[in-house]
Amino acid sequence: MTILESASDTLTRDALTVLQPGFVGTTAPDWLLRRIGEGLSSVGLFGRNIDNPEQLAALTARLRAERDDVLVAIDEEGGDVTRLEVKQGSSFPGNYALGSVDDVELTRAVARELGRRLAECGVDLNWAPSADVNSNADNPVIGVRSFGADPELVARHTVAYVDGLQAVGVAACTKHFPGHGDTNVDSHHALPRIDVDLDTLHARELVPFRAAIAAGTKSVMSAHILLSALDPNRPATLSPQILTGLLRRELGFEGLIVTDGMEMQAIASTYGIERGSVLAIAAGADAICVGGGLADEGTVLSLRDALVNAVRTGELPEERLADAAARVRALAAWTQAHRARGAVSGPGAAVQEGTAPGTDVGLVAARRALRVTAGERPYQPITSAPYVASFTPVANFAVGDETPWGIAAELERLLPGTATGSYGAEGSLDELLAAAGDRRVVAVVRDAHRHPWMAKALDALLAARPDTVVVEMGLNESEPRGALHIATHGAARVCGRAAAEAVVGR
């Protein structure tokens, strides 16, 4: 091999190293195993890749049979955004529920147990937690994924979550830098713009990220948002001012910078994923997340070739690509060392009463997160099978529409014979009342404050049936209504169970 050929091989390997692609199926395709052998250092998992923990463990073992230091990443926030339990709903409440309890030891215990389960399945990089300050209640993509609207509260729970995950050898990826909370546009569909001044950004958006960096978060994920006060021309993912100037130099972050999904329209429709990936690495990103929507060998090869060609044409400094690849390998070495020490064996540590090994810390947290408000009259618990009317909004891309939510299944366990119906913007009150008959009605809503049709339908239902129980499973921004109003602060399966218990008076 000549020196020229060796340099070319190194360049190609580095280009593969910085990619974090997904794939389709519950077993590793041949093309993926082949590329891992050639230098691909990371793989991203999504709900389509997971049937059960045993299958997932076998999948990750197969990946590591090809290369023992491969990073296996997942987008497992718990709560509304779950991949590990995509078909059942999460065993853990999400950030908003944890923030509403505001017990950092509980948050740390939840994150530790979630991390332990991921590690047992061979996952060692979690694209979580969300450190966004949800200052805009109309935010269509963050909402309950945030710990709340108070920067200091978000900061302390972000730190606890990072600590919990990393204590069991799962690298945290604090997101979405420099803060996606004050947006009214979903970056999966378009490019959000935030026009606040630098003082506001430092006093609000950046507070949790500073805390996470001080706590040692192993990685940070960039946001596809335009912050005019920092860079009026390029979104954060592609901005040297934000990734290198702010995150690296000003905040002092030395870990891995991961992009949000490059196939999201905020990037793909403006720059294209190939050019966007080149610009992201040049700006200071170290790893390119792709695979939520594009999950094939052609995507991997096109991104690899785009990076290699950018180096050869001088658009991307070779040293910058090499530095990015080195950071990926450093994180892989950290996770590999944890696996070698057996850091993930055994249940999560007991950190407070009610969260000792063997207890269901997710259910404990979901119960503590409930906010139950009785109506004007004393509440009469439901003792016979009710009718559950679910008012269903369009799910955002991050949450997805394949994960079940609500309380009907949990009520069915407590009150066999529970009936249910789903209603959208075109739903009919007469249809609902006819289906309910003489059963008590439980109305389940999600972010009723953001959907005028939902609030209107709920008003009409309460006027006709004032004994209706209302369960809000999104942001708790509306005034309590109904014979009983239950705010779960999220739509995880355990939140539904906790709400069902309250409905029957437990």
Side-chain angles (χ1 to χ4, degrees), residues 162-163 166 172 211-219 253:
V162 167
D163 287 346
Q166 295 187 170
I213 291 167
T217 184
K218 292 295 178 181
S219 61
F253 180 62

Side-chain angles (χ1 to χ4, degrees), residues 218-423:
K218 292 295 178 181
S219 61
V220 168
M221 177 175 281
S222 66
H224 303 329
I225 55 175
L226 190 71
L227 291 102
S228 56
L230 294 172
D231 188 335
N233 300 311
R234 288 185 178 176
T237 296
L238 312 183
S239 171
Q241 294 97 308
I242 294 175
L243 297 189
T244 298
L246 177 60
L247 183 54
R248 287 279 187 230
R249 294 174 184 160
E250 184 173 343
L251 301 186
F253 180 62
E254 293 295 332
L256 188 76
I257 300 177
V258 183
T259 72
D260 207 343
M262 295 301 287
E263 69 270 40
M264 294 165 61
Q265 291 305 304
I267 299 296
S269 65
T270 307
Y271 298 88
I273 63 168
E274 290 88 358
R275 175 152 180 76
S277 296
V278 170
L279 292 174
I281 297 295
D286 305 305
I288 301 296
C289 174
V290 65
L294 299 173
D296 58 88
E297 184 176 22
T299 298
V300 172
L301 296 180
S302 68
L303 293 179
R304 179 201 65 183
D305 293 346
L307 292 168
V308 169
N309 290 336
V311 170
R312 288 173 174 166
T313 61
E315 182 180 9
L316 174 63
E318 186 172 0
E319 296 79 7
R320 171 77 275 272
L321 180 61
D323 173 64
R327 291 181 191 274
V328 174
R329 295 178 186 122
L331 181 56
W334 180 86
T335 60
Q336 187 180 30
H338 269 266
R339 287 197 305 277
R341 290 198 300 267
V344 302
S345 61
V351 295
Q352 64 173 61
E353 183 179 357
T355 61
T359 62
D360 189 342
V361 65
L363 183 57
V364 169
R367 287 170 174 160
R368 291 185 62 188
L370 285 188
R371 295 294 179 270
V372 182
T373 306
E376 295 180 359
R377 299 178 181 179
Y379 175 65
Q380 299 298 318
I382 296 177
T383 56
S384 59
Y387 184 79
V388 179
S390 297
F391 295 90
T392 307
V394 176
N396 69 55
F397 188 88
V399 173
D401 57 10
E402 67 269 53
T403 303
W405 69 283
I407 72 167
E410 301 300 331
L411 270 177
E412 169 66 26
R413 293 188 180 95
L414 299 174
L415 299 172
T418 293
T420 186
S422 182
Y423 301 89

Side-chain angles (χ1 to χ4, degrees), residues 140-159:
V141 68
I142 302 300
V144 297
R145 301 168 65 197
S146 166
F147 289 110
D150 174 31
E152 296 298 335
L153 179 146
V154 175
R156 60 180 173 264
H157 286 277
T158 297
V159 167

